[in-house]
Amino acid sequence: MKKLSLIVPMYNEEEMIPLFFEKINEVLSQIKNYTKEIVCVNDGSKDKTLELLKKYKKENNKIHIVSFSRNFGHEAAVAAGFSRALGDVMIVMDADLQDPPEVIFDLLKKYEEGYKIVNAKRVDRKSDSFLKRTTAEMYYKLIYKMSGKIKVPENVGNYRLMDREVVDKINALPEKNRVFRVLVPFAGYKTATVEFVRAPRPKGESHYNYKSMFKLAGDSIVSSSVAPLKWPLKWSLGIGFLTCLALFIDLILYICHRCN
Ligand code: UDP
Ligand code: MG
């Protein structure tokens, strides 16, 4: 039997943990043809997240905990989950049920059809604030434009399924600031997409402030494209050209002045 690993980054999710396990256990109990594990990555939470995880782990041997000494951020938590997970197939999902657990059935269906990557695409984000939707739209448009040959799909976040082979390839990449929505298409492989409606967060608050969104956008640009490395060269060539042009005009004016 194949093993399915769920990777769930958690930062200050004490309010969500009981709801999350209730819902996820219900869904996992309906999946019979896999053994399962839930790798919860506590990303340096300051609330009772770790305490609660330890409590739930005592009652549920599918739960494994990775715990950070401080908050390293969502992407680092996903990376740690990938290193710890033992599954033949892995699914990354948020702890706040905005990634509806029922979508796991669709992801596995596509996997069983032979796709090594199955993206979960957000088709309706009405549950997110206007500002969040607008910035997300700008982010995906920018990354799509920048990403050159490897197209980073729009409205696909971290919720997706990957075969072990893909995860091993991604783990072997030397990138330090990892952005999975960029690295996964970079790895290649046969990819399918399932669509879902982004659910509202039942409890707690989004941890993405503008600083972390800018960081994500910056990391995404540098890991998806070498274009920023070429910008200084292009700019200096442009400035050099304009300087030469100005000197040339200056020279002509000087000659004309002398002739008169
Ligand atoms: N998260 C994390 N570290 C962080 C911020 C968030 O592990 O520094 C987790 C969080 O607990 C959740 C997921 O990443 O499981 C998505 O975070 P959030 O819901 O705050 O983001 P949003 O849905 O608003 O984009
Ligand atoms: Mg969320």
Side-chain angles (χ1 to χ4, degrees):
M1 223 190 247
K2 283 193 172 179
K3 192 179 188 88
L4 166 67
S5 300
L6 294 188
I7 294 159
V8 195
M10 295 182 175
Y11 178 56
N12 293 347
E13 296 288 5
E14 64 178 12
E15 285 184 289
M16 275 310 305
I17 285 178
L19 285 173
F20 174 75
F21 282 123
E22 188 190 325
K23 189 76 204 171
I24 208 70
N25 287 336
E26 191 189 312
V27 166
L28 290 185
S29 67
Q30 294 173 57
I31 299 170
K32 305 281 183 212
N33 44 345
Y34 291 85
T35 59
K36 293 144 259 179
E37 65 170 8
I38 311 170
V39 180
C40 301
V41 186
N42 170 43
D43 184 12
S45 301
K46 295 184 183 78
D47 66 357
K48 293 202 175 87
T49 296
L50 183 59
E51 220 175 299
L52 276 172
L53 283 176
K54 285 181 180 164
K55 176 178 160 265
Y56 277 85
K57 185 179 158 63
K58 277 190 193 145
E59 297 152 17
N60 183 347
N61 63 6
K62 290 189 192 69
I63 298 175
H64 300 281
I65 307 171
V66 177
S67 192
F68 286 171
S69 53
R70 66 163 171 89
N71 179 243
F72 281 84
H74 189 182
E75 298 287 335
V78 174
F82 278 151
S83 317
R84 166 63 184 77
L86 301 174
D88 303 286
V89 51
M90 312 200 185
I91 295 175
V92 183
M93 66 190 300
D94 292 352
D96 59 4
L97 297 176
Q98 287 205 273
D99 297 337
E102 302 78 29
V103 176
I104 293 175
F105 299 125
D106 304 332
L107 293 171
L108 283 173
K109 195 164 164 272
K110 285 284 173 198
Y111 175 65
E112 283 156 14
E113 286 171 19
Y115 294 95
K116 295 218 184 238
I117 300 172
V118 191
N119 293 332
K121 184 179 167 123
R122 302 158 182 181
V123 285
D124 184 345
R125 300 184 61 132
K126 281 199 197 99
S127 61
D128 285 328
S129 71
F130 173 75
L131 216 57
K132 177 112 195 171
R133 287 202 309 267
T134 319
T135 47
E137 202 175 308
M138 279 160 56
Y139 166 80
Y140 284 111
K141 288 231 150 54
L142 178 72
I143 300 306
Y144 190 80
K145 254 201 148 75
M146 303 273 314
S147 54
K149 274 190 197 156
I150 304 133
K151 285 296 170 207
V152 177
E154 278 187 56
N155 284 318
V156 176
N158 280 348
Y159 195 19
R160 77 182 82 212
L161 172 149
M162 276 159 293
D163 185 86
R164 162 111 249 153
E165 197 182 324
V166 182
V167 175
D168 285 345
K169 285 268 153 60
I170 291 172
N171 283 346
L173 291 171
E175 239 75 16
K176 273 205 180 138
N177 281 335
R178 291 170 164 257
V179 181
F180 282 97
R181 67 197 74 189
V182 174
L183 295 181
V184 176
F186 175 79
Y189 292 96
K190 200 174 163 198
T191 303
T193 301
V194 301
E195 297 186 337
F196 77 99
V197 176
R198 185 122 162 108
R201 190 185 242 280
K203 281 189 193 287
E205 281 170 11
S206 167
H207 305 96
Y208 269 85
N209 55 29
Y210 285 96
K211 198 174 150 218
S212 40
M213 287 207 278
F214 273 118
K215 184 180 179 317
L216 178 69
D219 288 347
S220 305
I221 289 169
V222 291
S223 54
S224 64
S225 164
V226 292
L229 293 175
K230 294 178 186 162
W231 290 342
L233 178 68
K234 283 185 185 162
W235 288 339
S236 40
L237 282 176
I239 292 167
F241 174 75
L242 289 176
T243 315
C244 288
L245 193 69
L247 281 174
F248 181 69
I249 294 171
D250 225 21
L251 186 69
I252 302 279
L253 289 174
Y254 177 72
I255 294 168
C256 294
H257 181 69
R258 289 294 294 256
C259 293
N260 294 334

